[in-house]
């Protein structure tokens, strides 16, 4: 009896020790889970339990763990209202920024990898510097500093010389006679309303000047190239297909020119008037400024009628805003202008008008709501904000992709800049007349007239009484 009792105790102790060993190796749960009743259990071995397997000194690597990365970022300061920049990291991972403040690139870099932040697209008319822009990403990077400031304008002469004339050539070997309007197409070609030569000229990106249409004999004749005629064309606009629209001022008509030089009359006739209508049944009186929107609607500053007119692609002419002379803000005929001269269309479809006789800059919505952007009505060159600023005979007007408006003061001999907030400053030139290339106010103009902006934000000026076409590019 004693022997069998002791053997039974030893067997129970061995089984109990085996369960404790398995639990210590992590193979068990919080409680004992027995074998399901349906399973057949193997006979329990008799004797001491087997030793548990030895544990490795380190766990095996987890192949699903992602590589350690670091983020790259910093902050932007000084970016102008409605400005935009594009940054690159290591030549890629483009990041577009339109506000000041912190930024971070969308893609991280591997730990201990190099990073290099560069400026891919600078803001219009600003220069930007980058500090702490490169290094090794041992930790997350948040101290890249991008600081922007206004860039002055470098004024140069693209074509023409100070002597009036008519000559097709390249650069300053070409000649114009009191050019008034300019427009630039998507391919970088510049078009000039060469007013006193009664012609439309073309300047290719290389500076070569040719005659697209018109002849020395003023008149109103449709035709191809030199077979067509104009009478003192003032301003010019170009649509996305390369078609030109010209205010043929003393013919009181709006002309259309195809890229091949075929000229037709879109609206108006030689008889001045103010009638709405279709094509030649409509009438204008001294149409001056012209602009075209993304839908090929043409807008005309009808100078002597004190109105803003609209022409659809099919030639239907209506009055968008204005009536008798005045300076009232309002809608449609309740608003008034006094000799509106220049007109431009912004990227948002808003119209900007240089109200020459009122010495103000006006804004017109597509629905005809007129407001005053800047200008006191006093005839002088004074910087300021909104109505605290003054203009001296504003004629040409242009607006860039960010909503900044540029104005050519005909007798002020300067180019003015209006920010989206309404701050007005002198952008280039000074009151003294001249023909000097230079930076900002060191440059000189003589009666600057039409303005145009290309896809890169560079500005072109018809420098009328210098008989030149000038170019303004940011100093970077």
């Amino acid at each position: 009896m004693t022997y069998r009792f002791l053997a039974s105790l030893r067997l129970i102790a061995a089984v109990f020790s085996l369960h404790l060993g398995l639990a210590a190796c992590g193979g068990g749960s919080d409680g004992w889970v027995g074998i399901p009743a349906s399973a057949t259990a193997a006979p329990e071995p008799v004797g001491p339990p087997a030793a548990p397997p030895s544990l490795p000194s380190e766990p095996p690597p987890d192949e699903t763990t992602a590589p350690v990365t670091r983020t790259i970022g910093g902050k932007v300061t000084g970016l102008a209202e409605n400005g935009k920049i594009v940054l690159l990291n290591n030549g890629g991972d483009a990041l577009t920024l339109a506000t000041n403040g912190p930024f971070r690139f969308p893609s991280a870099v591997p730990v201990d990898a190099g990073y290099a932040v560069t400026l891919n697209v600078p803001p219009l008319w600003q220069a930007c510097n980058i500090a702490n822009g490169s290094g090794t990403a041992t930790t997350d990077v948040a101290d890249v500093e991008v600081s922007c400031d206004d860039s002055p304008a470098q004024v140069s002469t693209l074509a023409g010389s100070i002597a009036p004339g008519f000559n097709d050539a390249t650069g300053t070997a070409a000649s114009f006679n009191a050019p008034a309007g300019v427009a630039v197409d998507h391919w970088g070609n510049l078009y000039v309303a060469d007013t006193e030569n009664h012609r439309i000229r073309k300047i290719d990106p290389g500076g070569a000047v040719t005659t697209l249409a018109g002849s020395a004999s003023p008149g109103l004749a449709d035709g191809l190239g030199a077979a067509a005629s104009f009478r003192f064309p003032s301003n010019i606009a170009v649509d996305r297909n390369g078609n030109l629209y010209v205010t043929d001022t003393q013919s009181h008509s709006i002309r259309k020119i195809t890229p091949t030089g075929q000229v037709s009359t879109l609206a108006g006739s030689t008889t001045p008037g103010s009638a709405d209508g279709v094509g030649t049944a409509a009438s204008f009186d001294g149409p001056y400024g012209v602009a075209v929107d993304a839908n090929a609607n043409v807008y005309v500053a009808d100078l002597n009628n004190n109105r803003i007119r609209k022409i659809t692609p099919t030639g239907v002419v209506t009055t968008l805003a204005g009536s008798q002379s005045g300076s009232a803000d309002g809608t449609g005929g309740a608003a008034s202008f006094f000799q509106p001269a220049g007109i431009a269309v912004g990227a948002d479809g808003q119209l900007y008008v240089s109200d020459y006789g009122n010495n103000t800059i006006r804004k017109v919505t597509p629905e005809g709501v007129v407001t005053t952007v800047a200008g006191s009505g006093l005839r002088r060159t004074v910087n300021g904000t909104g109505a605290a600023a003054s203009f001296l005979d504003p004629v040409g007007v242009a607006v860039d992709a960010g909503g900044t408006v540029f104005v050519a003061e005909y007798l002020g001999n300067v180019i003015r800049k209006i920010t989206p907030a309404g701050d007005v400053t002198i952008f280039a030139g000074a009151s003294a007349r001249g023909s000097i290339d230079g930076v900002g106010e060191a440059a000189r103009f003589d009666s600057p007239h039409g303005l145009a902006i290309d896809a890169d934000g560079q500005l072109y000026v018809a420098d009328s009484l210098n008989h030149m076409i000038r170019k303004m590019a940011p100093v970077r």
Side-chain angles (χ1 to χ4, degrees), residues 373-398:
V373 174
S376 65
L378 299 176
R379 191 169 174 264
R380 60 188 65 172
T381 303
V382 177
N383 292 332
T385 301
S390 297
F391 298 88
L392 178 54
D393 295 345
V395 178
V397 63

Side-chain angles (χ1 to χ4, degrees), residues 408-468:
E409 284 190 3
Y410 187 71
L411 288 185
N413 298 307
V414 293
I415 309 301
R416 309 290 292 281
K417 175 183 175 181
I418 309 174
T419 70
D423 296 327
V424 182
T425 56
I426 294 175
F427 192 57
S431 59
R433 297 161 56 186
S435 60
I436 300 172
D437 289 342
V439 176
E441 295 184 37
R444 294 291 182 271
F445 302 91
D446 189 354
S447 305
H449 205 287
L451 298 174
I453 298 175
D454 68 14
D456 296 325
Q458 299 177 118
L459 198 64
Y460 298 87
V461 183
D463 194 3
S464 188
L465 295 189
N466 275 326
H467 312 288
M468 297 172 176

Side-chain angles (χ1 to χ4, degrees), residues 46 59 159 193 280 364 425 463:
V46 178
T280 56
V364 187
T425 56
D463 194 3

Side-chain angles (χ1 to χ4, degrees), residues 50 82 95 156 166 194 251 258 263 287-288 320 323 342 360 375 403-404 415:
N82 287 0
L95 177 63
S156 59
F166 172 74
D194 194 2
S251 288
T258 68
V263 180
Y288 212 76
L320 180 64
S323 55
T360 56
T404 298
I415 309 301

Side-chain angles (χ1 to χ4, degrees), residues 165-191:
F166 172 74
N167 186 44
D168 286 342
T170 299
T172 56
S175 55
F176 303 87
N177 192 355
V182 286
V184 61
D185 67 18
H186 293 294
W187 301 277
N189 299 299
L190 191 71
Y191 299 91

